[in-house]
Amino acid sequence: MVKVFSEIGIDVDYYIPNRMEEGYGLDKKAIDFMKKRNCKLVITVDTGVNSIEDVKYAESLGIEVIVTDHHKSTKDKEDEELLLLNPKLSDTYEFKYLSGAGVALKVAQGVYEKLNADMGKLYQYMDIVMIGTVADVVPMVDENRIIIKEGLKILSKTKVKGLMYLLKYLKFQNKEINTTDVSYFISPLINSLGRIGVSKMGADFFLKNDEFEIYNIIEEMKKSNKKRRELEKAIYEEADHKIKKMDKKSLKCAFLYSKKWHPGVIGVVSSRLSVKYNMPIALVALRDNIGKASCRSVKGVSVFNIFHTMKDKLVRFGGHDLASGFIVKQENLKEVERIFKENIDEIKVEQEEKILKIDMELPIEKIDENLVLVNIVGVEKKEIKNDFEEYPYHKVRKGEYLNKIAKDYQKRPAKLVQINELKNPNLIYPKQKIYLEKKKSIDIEKIPKYHIVQRGENIISIALEYELDWKQILRLNSLESVTDIYPGQKIVLK
């Protein structure tokens, strides 16, 4: 928003709270700072919808406030006069799943349209909106899909100097970048500054043009990201150990806290644990008699609503139904834990009838190697060199089916199914190798014990390389998902 407003001559500055010192969102300290800078108007981005008292405080000082946010709101009727731009609060705006960056884009579009400004100056920075949308993990549908598609196009020829240098560091400058690259390489580096480092540097990264400054920011990103991974691993292991010691039969949730935990990474950890144990997880980082919590939940259990029932016990709270956080004084922590667990105990999660959602009909002949491996799995299949290569095979051509191949080589279709271990003989794809003779078993001794993860790899691509079962690799390494790895990580293969 700073960038696109500056493009059309609007006098604009920015303030980003330090996550460790101030927590999230708008507060009186930030407002007092802005008042000293003679600020007339504050526009929040991705925050503020539940900072009603702070907004009223700013207005009492003569500062107008426009809140742009996409989080769930606790707004009361008496707050109707406040200017809150949030798709979840709108009766007329149909799409409710914009990210915080997406809502900011809408505000910028409105300003540009009102001033008859050149929209090209706005849309040249769609790559920034795209990164924010992907990082926010919002549904990739409707407007979000358009934002991501157009943003990826812009990213390959970005005008943001910080992104130019980051793509060079990641060796992405000549690569066709996809959402996996953004999710697992670009956004974690940028986010690490807010989680571990100095939050303001994240904005500086997009705004600065000095090469030396950008280089220093990227170096700080690398350090922060490394530290984030180390902290995340330590917190995960400690919290997981505590949960394992609990009585699983009656366990419906976990509410854990520690003075050793870093508030910037507990959200990621609580998310992983919630997926692992399929229950709500609340982790609280304690410091200076204040607890900063991050909670992840499961379908049917709104932690946001639970926190709303005890808002008088909290300094503040906010988020979504399945991902919320709060700040609490340590003296109230035990009471908050009690109320949290009591609410979880009272909720009866009904088993919903499973519904298969079908996006479209797709003929078998349209399913090829590129669709399955790149668009669905998210990997580029490597040419695998192994002991199979000496055996005769047929490379499937477009439109071919197994019965025809069997007839051409005077083989029984059932035999080809057996040789190639095909689960569905109708599901073969162009360029697939159909072996015509029984393959030799892999020599397990030739497979190395470890594999060092390279940039762009995930568990499925590694399994394909060594002809191994990807699920077995997940189990051997205690991983939650095929993308739960990072470059340089040592993966056990056997």
Side-chain angles (χ1 to χ4, degrees):
M1 215 180 249
V2 172
K3 220 164 179 58
V4 297
F5 282 175
S6 298
E7 283 281 344
I8 54 176
I10 295 175
D11 182 16
V12 60
D13 202 349
Y14 61 99
Y15 180 93
I16 298 179
N18 183 291
R19 194 175 294 204
M20 282 291 290
E21 304 298 329
E22 302 168 72
Y24 303 89
L26 193 66
D27 63 9
K28 290 181 180 179
K29 180 182 176 182
I31 293 163
D32 288 339
F33 172 82
M34 295 170 197
K35 179 65 177 175
K36 288 177 183 176
R37 299 288 296 271
N38 200 30
C39 175
K40 301 296 183 187
L41 170 67
V42 170
I43 303 175
T44 75
V45 176
D46 200 13
T47 189
V49 74
N50 293 316
S51 301
I52 304 298
E53 292 304 315
D54 300 300
V55 172
K56 290 177 178 178
Y57 174 70
E59 291 182 342
S60 73
L61 298 178
I63 301 173
E64 290 186 76
V65 180
I66 300 173
V67 173
T68 81
D69 206 343
H70 73 128
H71 293 99
K72 196 169 178 179
S73 173
T74 58
K75 184 170 73 75
D76 296 318
K77 283 288 181 186
E78 57 267 26
D79 302 321
E80 292 292 342
E81 73 278 6
L82 301 178
L83 186 48
L84 307 179
L85 302 181
N86 184 333
K88 289 185 174 66
L89 297 178
S90 175
D91 295 327
T92 56
Y93 201 83
E94 291 184 6
F95 187 56
K96 305 297 182 185
Y97 301 106
L98 285 170
S99 67
V103 179
L105 169 66
K106 294 297 159 186
V107 175
Q109 285 176 323
V111 171
Y112 267 63
E113 190 175 316
K114 185 73 175 175
L115 297 177
N116 273 331
D118 178 9
M119 284 291 185
K121 291 182 177 180
L122 169 60
Y123 294 142
Q124 67 181 327
Y125 298 118
M126 283 295 290
D127 47 0
I128 299 177
V129 187
M130 177 273 297
I131 291 170
T133 299
V134 172
D136 234 339
V137 200
V138 288
M140 201 186 296
V141 296
D142 206 282
E143 288 189 78
N144 289 338
R145 184 175 286 277
I146 297 168
I147 288 169
I148 291 169
K149 182 182 176 182
E150 297 305 315
L152 285 170
K153 288 180 188 175
I154 298 291
L155 184 60
S156 62
K157 51 191 178 185
T158 184
K159 294 187 176 181
V160 180
K161 209 158 188 180
L163 285 174
M164 289 180 196
Y165 279 79
L166 185 60
L167 295 182
K168 284 181 183 177
Y169 162 68
L170 292 170
K171 298 180 182 176
F172 282 175
Q173 65 267 40
N174 298 316
K175 183 183 187 299
E176 188 174 333
I177 300 167
N178 56 37
T179 52
T180 302
D181 298 321
V182 177
S183 295
Y184 293 99
F185 300 104
I186 295 172
S187 65
L189 279 165
I190 297 169
N191 280 339
S192 66
L193 292 170
R195 296 185 184 280
I196 304 297
V198 180
S199 304
K200 186 176 179 293
M201 290 181 76
D204 290 340
F205 168 76
F206 290 102
L207 297 170
K208 298 291 184 182
N209 286 308
D210 182 82
E211 293 180 5
F212 182 73
E213 284 184 287
I214 293 169
Y215 173 80
N216 284 337
I217 291 172
I218 292 174
E219 285 300 306
E220 192 60 39
M221 278 182 187
K222 289 153 65 177
K223 291 177 191 173
S224 296
N225 199 39
K226 183 174 183 292
K227 187 177 179 183
R228 175 195 62 81
R229 288 201 301 262
E230 291 168 353
L231 288 169
E232 190 180 306
K233 183 175 184 291
I235 295 170
Y236 178 85
E237 288 175 353
E238 183 181 343
D240 190 43
H241 179 69
K242 289 180 178 180
I243 294 171
K244 283 176 179 175
K245 286 168 36 176
M246 297 175 182
D247 180 11
K248 299 294 188 301
K249 291 180 182 178
S250 60
L251 195 62
K252 291 187 177 180
C253 67
F255 190 102
L256 307 170
Y257 42 88
S258 172
K259 291 182 178 179
K260 295 187 294 182
W261 294 348
H262 193 292
V265 298
I266 55 175
V268 179
V269 176
S270 61
S271 180
R272 288 179 60 190
L273 290 171
S274 181
V275 170
K276 180 175 181 177
Y277 292 103
N278 191 33
M279 66 181 184
I281 303 286
L283 301 183
V284 187
L286 298 171
R287 184 183 178 191
D288 298 331
N289 295 317
I290 291 290
K292 295 177 183 177
S294 190
C295 185
R296 299 294 182 270
S297 190
V298 294
K299 192 171 183 180
V301 182
S302 171
V303 286
F304 182 94
N305 290 346
I306 291 173
F307 297 148
H308 190 257
T309 65
M310 52 169 146
K311 61 182 180 180
D312 58 318
K313 306 290 182 187
L314 305 172
V315 177
R316 67 170 62 190
F317 76 98
H320 307 281
D321 285 327
L322 304 184
S324 288
F326 62 81
I327 298 175
V328 62
K329 292 179 181 177
Q330 192 166 342
E331 64 198 57
N332 293 328
L333 188 60
K334 287 288 185 183
E335 180 69 2
V336 167
E337 179 182 7
R338 182 188 64 77
I339 298 171
F340 180 78
K341 289 181 176 178
E342 283 180 357
N343 273 270
I344 298 289
D345 284 338
E346 291 171 6
I347 294 173
K348 291 182 180 178
V349 182
E350 295 181 3
Q351 290 293 327
E352 294 184 351
E353 182 182 352
K354 290 187 177 179
I355 298 172
L356 177 63
K357 293 182 180 178
I358 298 172
D359 291 321
M360 62 181 288
E361 289 186 8
L362 187 66
I364 290 295
E365 59 268 20
K366 295 284 187 181
I367 302 174
D368 58 20
E369 185 178 27
N370 182 63
L371 172 73
V372 174
L373 290 176
V374 178
N375 292 344
I376 297 177
V377 178
V379 301
E380 296 175 9
K381 186 172 182 183
K382 299 178 179 179
E383 198 65 31
I384 301 165
K385 300 293 181 184
N386 54 35
D387 292 340
F388 297 169
E389 297 302 324
E390 61 192 75
Y391 286 82
Y393 63 84
H394 171 82
K395 190 174 282 190
V396 179
R397 292 185 288 270
K398 190 173 182 179
E400 280 191 318
Y401 50 91
L402 195 69
N403 284 353
K404 180 184 181 301
I405 296 168
K407 184 178 179 181
D408 289 346
Y409 290 96
Q410 297 182 339
K411 302 282 185 182
R412 287 187 299 112
K415 190 67 176 176
L416 293 184
V417 170
Q418 182 186 11
I419 289 171
N420 293 274
E421 299 175 358
L422 298 174
K423 291 182 179 178
N424 185 345
N426 295 316
L427 189 58
I428 59 175
Y429 50 84
K431 299 184 182 179
Q432 180 179 355
K433 290 178 182 177
I434 298 296
Y435 289 92
L436 307 173
E437 294 179 14
K438 190 174 182 180
K439 301 178 285 185
K440 187 191 296 181
S441 298
I442 293 177
D443 185 355
I444 197 71
E445 296 299 322
K446 290 183 180 180
I447 297 174
K449 189 173 182 180
Y450 300 105
H451 172 85
I452 304 301
V453 179
Q454 304 300 309
R455 187 173 291 119
E457 286 187 321
N458 66 26
I459 291 300
I460 292 180
S461 66
I462 294 168
L464 283 170
E465 182 173 347
Y466 296 103
E467 292 287 312
L468 296 173
D469 180 357
W470 62 269
K471 293 179 182 176
Q472 176 66 12
I473 297 177
L474 283 181
R475 286 192 292 270
L476 283 172
N477 295 273
S478 300
L479 297 171
E480 300 294 331
S481 71
V482 295
T483 52
D484 193 19
I485 57 176
Y486 52 85
Q489 183 177 354
K490 186 186 284 187
I491 296 295
V492 178
L493 299 176
K494 60 182 182 179

